[in-house]
């Protein structure tokens, strides 16, 4: 009954197709933001049609310089550790006009599509 509820024809079919591993190694496109030099910029994009450019102003601290269709806007100061392609981007802190808005996650559903250092 449980297997049929989640879309399988039988319990045996479910057991044959379910992932058997609890962990694995991945070859991910990861950008560690502590490797970005002060003055360098990073651009990232995510659906639907959001593009953000941020300039490094300190270790893992960035100022948003361009923002298209995103909730983080030009002038925001963000702190983040890394960006991983095809995964949500977790920003630890967003400060706007000296007010900490808290954390922010970009690309919740489909992840980050593009990451580039410019």
């Amino acid at each position: 009954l449980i297997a049929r509820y989640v879309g399988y024809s039988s319990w045996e079919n479910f057991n044959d197709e379910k992932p058997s591993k609890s962990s694995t190694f991945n070859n991910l496109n990861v950008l560690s933001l502590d490797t970005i030099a002060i003055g360098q910029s990073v651009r990232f994009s995510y659906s639907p049609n959001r593009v953000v450019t941020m300039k490094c102003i300190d270790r893992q601290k960035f100022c948003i310089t361009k923002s298209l269709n995103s909730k983080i806007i030009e002038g925001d100061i963000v702190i983040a550790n890394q960006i991983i392609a095809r995964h949500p981007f977790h920003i630890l802190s967003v400060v706007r006009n000296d007010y900490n808005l808290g954390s922010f996650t970009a690309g919740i559903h489909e992840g980050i599509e593009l990451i580039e250092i410019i």
Side-chain angles (χ1 to χ4, degrees), residues 55-90:
K55 183 176 183 178
C56 184
I57 57 174
D58 202 351
R59 187 172 178 267
Q60 299 179 339
K61 188 174 185 179
F62 296 81
C63 179
I64 304 300
T65 56
K66 292 183 184 175
S67 178
L68 175 65
N69 301 320
S70 179
K71 291 178 183 172
I72 49 177
I73 61 173
E74 291 179 26
D76 284 353
I77 304 298
V78 300
I79 297 173
N81 298 324
Q82 65 183 4
I83 305 175
I84 305 173
R86 297 179 306 281
H87 291 270
F89 176 27
H90 302 288

